[in-house]
Amino acid sequence: MGDESKVPFLDTLYFENCPGCRIEKKKKNESFGLPYREFFYVWISTLAICLPISSLFPFLYFMIRDLHIANRVEDIGFYAGFVGAALMFGRALTSVFWGIVADRWGRKPVIIIGLFSVIIFNTLFGLSVNYWMAIATRFFLGAFNGILGPIKAYAVEVCRPEHQSIALSLVSTAWGIGLVIGPALGGFFAQPAEKFPYIIPEESFLGRFPYFLPCFFISLFAFGVLIACYWLPETLHNHPQNKTTDGIIEPLEASSHVSCKRENDLEDEGRVQPNTENLLTNWPLMSSIIVYCVFSLHDTAYSEIFSLWAESDRKFGGLSFSSEDVGEILAISGFSLLLFQLFLYPQAERLLGPINLARIAAVIAIPLLASYPFMTKLSGIVLSVAVNSASLIKNVLSMIIVTGMFILQNNAVPQHQRGAANGIAITGMSISRAIAPAVAGVIFSWAQKHQDSSILPGDQMVFFILIVIEFIGLLMTFKPFLATRS
């Protein structure tokens, strides 16, 4: 063998035309710090696909009323729930497919397709002329939007292991802010003819389509992100099956992948683990996904109930807020969420770990939720401060839990399985988020008709159910249920 035997089997070897190898080569550079450019792409892409998810909540109550599908005011919540569920139902059907596509053909194509879906179907939703058009456009928006799973894998792959918590916190921050700023946009820009009658007449285009403007702004933002993602670097490895040097076939698949894997992804002899592990039998992964789904169910139900509760009349146990009032509350929450995630969460995660932080957040959320029904006894500035503070704290707590589950999921699998693993996670999450608004709408509608019950009257029952779900999620963060990969 001569000189060939002197080639170290575990030497770093990169393929010149492999985008994944280019990323890994950059990460090996000692001067390589935080990949700010790649993190920026992660943040804006996640934000673009999250904005439409809950942007409809502040105006959904009024949209269902204007579509004349509900026979009584008390039935509006029932029909609103199914519109909210349509997007997540569509996503649940296709998330694993998009994860597999991301593992086979790359993260970037899936991200591009997802952004296209936002531009097209979110715009059409704003132009809905009947209830079934609203349902259909939301469904297709979810079915063609497979970004969230691949973007979590992408965030981990563009940075060094010590920066993974920051990378995944960017995803959950953008997700959380999207779920907050989206409703804020919906609250501020929906029904412009009613808010600005001297500028926008009722017979104008925006007067005839009162819910188009917030959808248009979100689609416009997604279009800008789509253009920016032209420069998005791919992270998936693309290696030839065989390659020769001086007539000798080298073990390039083994040695080159060694340069692109963390040590715990390698077998003892230095070769890449084959992609034979069934993800469904990977309990550290599946347990974190199940816990994630429980909290996703809770968070989505809370998001819909909060807006419906705040906008419903006080005689039905609500606060009689306008869509603009709700938008202001959620905008304040979103800004505070960004500050917390950027400056406080990484330090807290390093100190306590993602699991302990998630447990603390769940414990605090329980008494906070119990306080909501009693806010109806407040008024004026005291009510404003109470609602804003509660909304801010609740969104921060939800973000802490989601980020912790993201970290556990991505640490439970090697790179070549992250797309599929995140696809499974998004499927489970989407099912939870599809169930949540439909069930929340039904329960909310029922509660408004039972304001005089002797036990947990009206909205007290709604928030009690949210507390029960949060408590179940808290219990599931402990062993033996939740497992971590050593």
Side-chain angles (χ1 to χ4, degrees):
M1 296 292 292
D3 293 339
E4 296 85 29
S5 62
K6 297 179 182 179
V7 178
F9 186 72
L10 293 179
D11 273 359
T12 298
L13 184 62
Y14 301 100
F15 285 94
E16 182 179 353
N17 296 321
C18 172
C21 285
R22 284 196 291 269
I23 293 290
E24 294 298 329
K25 191 174 182 179
K26 286 177 60 178
K27 288 158 61 175
K28 290 286 184 181
N29 191 328
E30 292 183 1
S31 63
F32 182 79
L34 286 171
Y36 292 104
R37 185 168 71 101
E38 287 77 9
F39 277 1
F40 175 72
Y41 288 128
V42 168
W43 200 85
I44 61 172
S45 298
T46 308
L47 182 61
I49 60 103
C50 289
L51 284 174
I53 291 176
S54 58
S55 61
L56 76 167
F57 287 149
F59 62 77
L60 184 57
Y61 183 91
F62 305 106
M63 186 180 196
I64 299 300
R65 180 199 65 188
D66 294 346
L67 293 176
H68 305 294
I69 188 69
N71 294 323
R72 297 183 301 173
V73 172
E74 296 92 325
D75 294 329
I76 289 177
F78 175 83
Y79 291 99
F82 291 103
V83 176
L87 183 147
M88 289 301 170
F89 180 65
R91 177 176 288 179
L93 296 179
T94 61
S95 290
V96 172
F97 167 78
W98 290 120
I100 294 172
V101 170
D103 279 344
R104 182 169 297 180
W105 287 291
R107 319 309 190 198
K108 186 173 180 177
V110 177
I111 293 171
I112 296 298
I113 293 170
L115 291 170
F116 263 120
S117 75
V118 172
I119 296 169
I120 296 171
F121 295 111
N122 186 62
T123 303
L124 290 176
F125 173 72
L127 296 172
S128 296
V129 294
N130 58 58
Y131 182 71
W132 299 111
M133 180 178 176
I135 290 278
T137 52
R138 293 288 290 181
F139 172 82
F140 287 118
L141 175 59
F144 287 93
N145 195 331
I147 290 180
L148 191 56
I151 204 71
K152 289 194 293 180
Y154 185 90
V156 170
E157 292 161 3
V158 295
C159 66
R160 290 177 172 172
E162 61 266 27
H163 297 142
Q164 284 186 8
S165 64
I166 298 176
L168 289 172
S169 69
L170 281 174
V171 176
S172 57
T173 298
W175 173 267
I177 290 177
L179 297 182
V180 170
I181 299 300
L185 291 172
F188 283 126
F189 295 109
Q191 301 170 304
E194 292 185 15
K195 296 173 182 175
F196 313 105
Y198 299 106
I199 301 175
I200 302 174
E202 284 286 343
E203 61 274 10
S204 67
F205 177 83
L206 293 179
R208 289 183 290 113
F209 297 98
Y211 311 106
F212 171 76
L213 196 57
C215 296
F216 173 74
F217 283 137
I218 292 171
S219 297
L220 188 65
F221 175 73
F223 180 73
V225 175
L226 177 65
I227 294 174
C229 283
Y230 174 81
W231 294 276
L232 180 77
E234 181 59 71
T235 60
L236 189 68
H237 292 280
N238 180 20
H239 298 166
Q241 295 299 315
N242 295 291
K243 189 173 181 178
T244 62
T245 302
D246 296 330
I248 301 168
I249 298 177
E250 299 183 8
L252 294 181
E253 281 297 335
S255 57
S256 65
H257 275 76
V258 168
S259 70
C260 307
K261 301 291 181 184
R262 296 172 60 187
E263 292 181 2
N264 61 359
D265 290 338
L266 303 176
E267 296 185 8
D268 292 339
E269 66 270 27
R271 289 176 295 161
V272 177
Q273 295 179 8
N275 190 8
T276 58
E277 181 184 5
N278 186 345
L279 292 176
L280 298 179
T281 63
N282 182 337
W283 186 242
L285 171 67
M286 297 308 298
S287 62
S288 62
I289 288 176
I290 294 171
V291 175
Y292 173 48
C293 290
V294 171
F295 283 112
S296 294
L297 177 75
H298 171 274
D299 292 344
T300 307
Y302 166 81
S303 296
E304 173 148 334
I305 286 171
F306 176 79
S307 295
L308 293 174
W309 168 71
E311 292 172 355
S312 62
D313 197 275
R314 281 188 176 267
K315 68 181 180 180
F316 295 119
L319 301 178
S320 296
F321 281 4
S322 67
S323 60
E324 188 174 3
D325 293 331
V326 174
E328 290 176 358
I329 293 169
L330 297 178
I332 293 171
S333 298
F335 180 72
S336 303
L337 187 67
L338 175 62
L339 294 179
F340 175 85
Q341 189 74 349
L342 292 179
F343 299 108
L344 296 179
Y345 181 81
Q347 290 79 5
E349 190 273 333
R350 281 194 291 268
L351 180 65
L352 298 173
I355 299 177
N356 287 331
L357 269 182
R359 290 168 182 163
I360 293 170
V363 168
I364 296 173
I366 291 173
L368 179 65
L369 288 167
S371 69
Y372 275 72
F374 301 100
M375 292 183 190
T376 57
K377 302 182 183 300
L378 305 176
S379 61
I381 188 65
V382 177
L383 174 62
S384 178
V385 171
V387 174
N388 275 283
S389 299
S391 176
L392 186 158
I393 296 170
K394 181 63 180 68
N395 282 291
V396 166
L397 297 175
S398 296
M399 180 275 304
I400 290 173
I401 296 171
V402 168
T403 303
M405 295 306 108
F406 282 177
I407 293 173
L408 294 181
Q409 290 164 22
N410 281 276
N411 287 341
V413 293
Q415 186 200 29
H416 62 278
Q417 289 185 317
R418 282 197 187 119
N422 280 295
I424 294 172
I426 301 305
T427 297
M429 178 270 285
S430 299
I431 293 172
S432 298
R433 291 183 180 272
I435 294 171
V439 174
V442 171
I443 293 174
F444 183 82
S445 180
W446 177 89
Q448 292 212 317
K449 300 171 187 175
H450 294 80
Q451 295 293 324
D452 300 322
S453 298
S454 56
I455 300 176
L456 296 174
D459 295 328
Q460 290 186 31
M461 175 60 74
V462 175
F463 287 101
F464 174 75
I465 293 173
L466 289 177
I467 290 171
V468 170
I469 298 172
E470 186 85 4
F471 183 69
I472 292 172
L474 171 62
L475 293 179
M476 294 172 70
T477 63
F478 291 91
K479 293 181 178 180
F481 188 85
L482 184 63
T484 57
R485 172 153 292 187
S486 58

